[in-house]
Amino acid sequence: MSHTTATAASGPNREHTLQFRVRYSETDQMGTIYNSRPLEWFEMGRSELLRSVGLPYTEIEARGVYLPLVEAHVDYDGRARYDDLLQMTSVATMVGRARLRCANRITHAATGLGVAHGYTVHAFTDTSGRAIRPPAWFLQLFR
Amino acid sequence: MSHTTATAASGPNREHTLQFRVRYSETDQMGTIYNSRPLEWFEMGRSELLRSVGLPYTEIEARGVYLPLVEAHVDYDGRARYDDLLQMTSVATMVGRARLRCANRITHAATGLGVAHGYTVHAFTDTSGRAIRPPAWFLQLFR
Amino acid sequence: MSHTTATAASGPNREHTLQFRVRYSETDQMGTIYNSRPLEWFEMGRSELLRSVGLPYTEIEARGVYLPLVEAHVDYDGRARYDDLLQMTSVATMVGRARLRCANRITHAATGLGVAHGYTVHAFTDTSGRAIRPPAWFLQLFR
Amino acid sequence: MSHTTATAASGPNREHTLQFRVRYSETDQMGTIYNSRPLEWFEMGRSELLRSVGLPYTEIEARGVYLPLVEAHVDYDGRARYDDLLQMTSVATMVGRARLRCANRITHAATGLGVAHGYTVHAFTDTSGRAIRPPAWFLQLFR
């Protein structure tokens, strides 16, 4: 049985949805998910979104491009607990000339009740951390 | 783009500064800190701030009060690596009637160069997760 | 040097296999998985194994029983990187009267090359942490 | 106020002791520390031990040498909770020709009651992951 995420990509709008279960390691003593987990899940969402459009992040880094965060935001909408099956939709958009913005919404898969939503904004850098312009092969994903 | 000004703080505040080193476990393959670490460090900052004003968070939970996050924001200002000595200043303020806001600024201890800044906004709940008014013994910290 | 044989397993066992991808958050600056990740994955393996035999861990905790670790061991067999698709087989066995032992083997799904193997040994406690005998409804899973 | 670890190194036996507090992010819904945390703390212990003998791990990596784990073991001795002040003693020894072994013992700083003990065994590799002999400048630490 697979524990990988069930996914469903939808073409040109650079949107992607996946499902995953909350791990025990992701809880804290409040009995719910620790507050930094949504950022880890947003990253998983970006990762699967990029794979779904044919440009896995491993390939991006292999071409010498990093996408470090310049900004992150999370709004917590409701409780999630160990073993809950969650659904996350991620949407990627270019913002201005040199920023990628990924918005994410996490809900309970069964009920649709909100868990968290938020976004990350990414710069484009070379492997030494210097800002670069987004490569043409990246930008064409958003045309 | 930044939400930093979205929830303007007001009223008297409490401030606390600490230093810590980046752990190896806090890095990722980009060679710098993983993007969710600032949220873990903000939590450490709140924890020490509350201890410094005489109300450790363990005591708050022992009295049946939780402070779950309703919002979190991080702006990434510069690179930080394994073993770097960082300094963080945390400032706590009551916002409106029932929200605690903690703003944090992380810099390199040696140079003052920025690493990240941001904030968390907290609700007050009982141990079952139901929203409550901030107790008087909590509010008096901010008078 | 290895403790792998220290706690010999005996009796009938339950086995379960799953697949998952390495998350970016699970890497460190060495470019491979951080060394504590196998313990988190072993926990995910136990979790899915227990679900597969009809006794989800949430149900075990709901009945007032915890399975805290008394021992853990990991042998690292090879490198694994971000986005690698891994396969893990977990085997659970009762050891002696009051210990559950879960052995796990993680390999690259595509090649079968080893990543890590190891085990965890668990006590049975009530929710206050006091040792208890394994409940009959738990033991019958291993008959 | 500093949140860095209070440390005390003692010369030729390659032993080092530090103190630290359990972070909220290090707990899980059982109300105690999550089971993989000792491995993260062992790493912090190695890190401070190497600094105390004048060879910070950053310097080791700067010289092109990695110390990946080949084995890790944890025995869990007692409960530890959020904000508990813990003490850890780490002892490093060369084992055979090409292995470094670090043993660690974690106790409650106030009472000496045990939390966890265990060890990690490390290989020496170059930055591409190929096994190498321990450099002379490393071995002389243990003469």
Side-chain angles (χ1 to χ4, degrees):
Chain A
M1 193 193 118
S2 172
H3 195 268
T4 46
T5 49
T7 61
S10 83
N13 56 358
R14 300 339 179 185
E15 179 175 323
H16 187 264
T17 296
L18 57 80
Q19 294 192 347
F20 60 97
R21 281 191 189 277
V22 175
R23 299 176 179 180
Y24 206 92
S25 58
E26 294 170 337
T27 63
D28 66 21
Q29 70 177 43
M30 221 180 276
T32 52
I33 57 167
Y34 183 68
N35 67 72
S36 72
R37 303 307 169 202
L39 289 190
E40 297 174 13
W41 298 335
F42 290 178
E43 179 258 291
M44 184 171 62
R46 293 193 294 282
S47 191
E48 294 303 322
L49 183 151
L50 288 167
R51 186 196 323 285
S52 75
V53 297
L55 189 62
Y57 190 67
T58 49
E59 176 63 22
I60 297 175
E61 287 202 347
R63 295 183 188 189
V65 176
Y66 284 162
L67 298 176
L69 273 74
V70 292
E71 191 183 339
H73 189 85
V74 185
D75 289 293
Y76 303 87
D77 302 317
R79 310 186 96 189
R81 297 173 178 281
Y82 161 62
D83 214 38
D84 285 351
L85 184 63
L86 304 184
Q87 178 165 313
M88 176 170 56
T89 296
S90 303
V91 180
T93 324
M94 285 302 297
V95 179
R97 286 200 164 178
R99 290 286 186 269
L100 177 69
R101 186 181 191 274
C102 299
N104 311 271
R105 181 166 298 274
I106 304 172
T107 57
H108 287 276
T111 61
L113 287 173
V115 173
H117 68 280
Y119 63 86
T120 53
V121 179
H122 301 258
F124 293 76
T125 75
D126 61 22
T127 55
S128 69
R130 202 170 354 225
I132 58 170
R133 294 208 171 195
W137 48 261
F138 189 92
L139 290 176
Q140 71 186 8
L141 293 178
F142 296 93
R143 266 170 211 156
Chain B
M1 204 64 193
S2 170
H3 277 223
T4 306
T5 53
T7 20
S10 65
N13 58 42
R14 297 298 204 140
E15 182 174 323
H16 186 263
T17 295
L18 57 78
Q19 293 192 349
F20 61 97
R21 279 192 189 279
V22 175
R23 298 176 181 181
Y24 206 91
S25 59
E26 295 170 338
T27 64
D28 67 22
Q29 72 178 42
M30 220 181 278
T32 52
I33 58 167
Y34 183 68
N35 67 72
S36 72
R37 302 309 169 202
L39 289 190
E40 297 174 13
W41 298 335
F42 290 178
E43 179 259 290
M44 183 170 65
R46 294 193 294 281
S47 191
E48 294 303 322
L49 184 151
L50 288 167
R51 187 197 322 286
S52 75
V53 298
L55 189 63
Y57 189 67
T58 48
E59 175 64 23
I60 297 175
E61 287 202 347
R63 296 182 189 189
V65 176
Y66 284 162
L67 298 176
L69 274 73
V70 292
E71 190 183 340
H73 188 85
V74 185
D75 289 293
Y76 302 86
D77 301 317
R79 309 185 95 189
R81 296 172 179 282
Y82 162 62
D83 214 39
D84 285 351
L85 184 63
L86 304 184
Q87 178 164 315
M88 176 170 54
T89 297
S90 303
V91 180
T93 322
M94 285 301 299
V95 179
R97 285 200 166 179
R99 290 288 186 267
L100 177 70
R101 186 182 189 275
C102 299
N104 311 271
R105 182 166 296 274
I106 303 173
T107 57
H108 287 276
T111 62
L113 287 173
V115 173
H117 67 280
Y119 63 86
T120 53
V121 179
H122 302 258
F124 293 76
T125 75
D126 61 22
T127 55
S128 69
R130 200 169 356 221
I132 58 171
R133 294 210 170 193
W137 49 259
F138 189 92
L139 291 176
Q140 71 185 8
L141 293 177
F142 296 93
R143 268 171 210 154
Chain C
M1 202 64 196
S2 169
H3 276 227
T4 307
T5 54
T7 20
S10 65
N13 57 42
R14 298 298 204 138
E15 182 174 324
H16 187 262
T17 296
L18 57 80
Q19 293 192 348
F20 61 97
R21 280 192 190 277
V22 175
R23 299 177 180 180
Y24 206 92
S25 59
E26 295 170 336
T27 63
D28 67 22
Q29 71 177 43
M30 220 179 277
T32 52
I33 58 167
Y34 183 68
N35 67 74
S36 72
R37 302 307 169 204
L39 289 190
E40 297 175 13
W41 297 336
F42 290 178
E43 178 259 292
M44 183 171 65
R46 293 193 293 282
S47 191
E48 293 304 321
L49 184 151
L50 288 167
R51 187 196 322 284
S52 76
V53 297
L55 189 62
Y57 189 66
T58 48
E59 176 63 24
I60 297 175
E61 287 202 346
R63 295 182 188 189
V65 176
Y66 284 161
L67 298 176
L69 274 74
V70 293
E71 191 182 339
H73 190 85
V74 185
D75 289 292
Y76 303 86
D77 301 319
R79 309 186 95 189
R81 297 172 178 282
Y82 162 62
D83 214 38
D84 286 350
L85 184 63
L86 304 183
Q87 178 165 313
M88 176 170 55
T89 296
S90 303
V91 180
T93 322
M94 285 301 298
V95 179
R97 286 200 164 178
R99 291 286 185 268
L100 176 70
R101 185 182 190 274
C102 299
N104 311 272
R105 181 166 297 275
I106 303 172
T107 57
H108 287 276
T111 62
L113 287 173
V115 173
H117 68 280
Y119 63 85
T120 52
V121 180
H122 302 258
F124 293 76
T125 75
D126 61 22
T127 55
S128 69
R130 201 169 354 223
I132 58 170
R133 294 207 171 197
W137 48 260
F138 189 92
L139 289 176
Q140 71 186 9
L141 293 178
F142 296 93
R143 266 171 212 154
Chain D
M1 194 193 119
S2 172
H3 196 268
T4 48
T5 48
T7 61
S10 83
N13 55 358
R14 301 334 179 190
E15 180 175 323
H16 187 264
T17 296
L18 58 78
Q19 293 191 350
F20 61 97
R21 280 192 190 277
V22 175
R23 299 176 180 179
Y24 206 91
S25 60
E26 295 170 338
T27 64
D28 67 22
Q29 71 178 43
M30 220 181 277
T32 53
I33 57 168
Y34 182 69
N35 68 72
S36 73
R37 302 309 169 202
L39 289 190
E40 297 175 13
W41 297 336
F42 289 178
E43 179 259 290
M44 183 171 63
R46 293 193 293 283
S47 191
E48 294 303 323
L49 184 151
L50 289 167
R51 187 197 322 285
S52 76
V53 297
L55 189 62
Y57 189 67
T58 48
E59 176 64 23
I60 297 175
E61 287 202 347
R63 295 182 188 189
V65 176
Y66 284 162
L67 298 176
L69 274 74
V70 292
E71 190 183 338
H73 189 84
V74 185
D75 290 292
Y76 303 86
D77 301 318
R79 310 185 95 188
R81 297 172 179 282
Y82 162 62
D83 214 40
D84 285 351
L85 184 63
L86 304 184
Q87 179 164 313
M88 176 170 55
T89 297
S90 303
V91 180
T93 324
M94 285 301 298
V95 178
R97 285 199 165 179
R99 290 288 185 268
L100 177 70
R101 185 182 191 275
C102 300
N104 311 272
R105 182 167 296 274
I106 304 173
T107 57
H108 287 277
T111 62
L113 288 173
V115 173
H117 67 280
Y119 63 86
T120 54
V121 179
H122 302 258
F124 293 75
T125 75
D126 62 20
T127 56
S128 68
R130 200 167 359 219
I132 59 170
R133 294 207 169 196
W137 49 260
F138 189 92
L139 289 176
Q140 70 185 9
L141 293 177
F142 296 93
R143 268 170 209 157

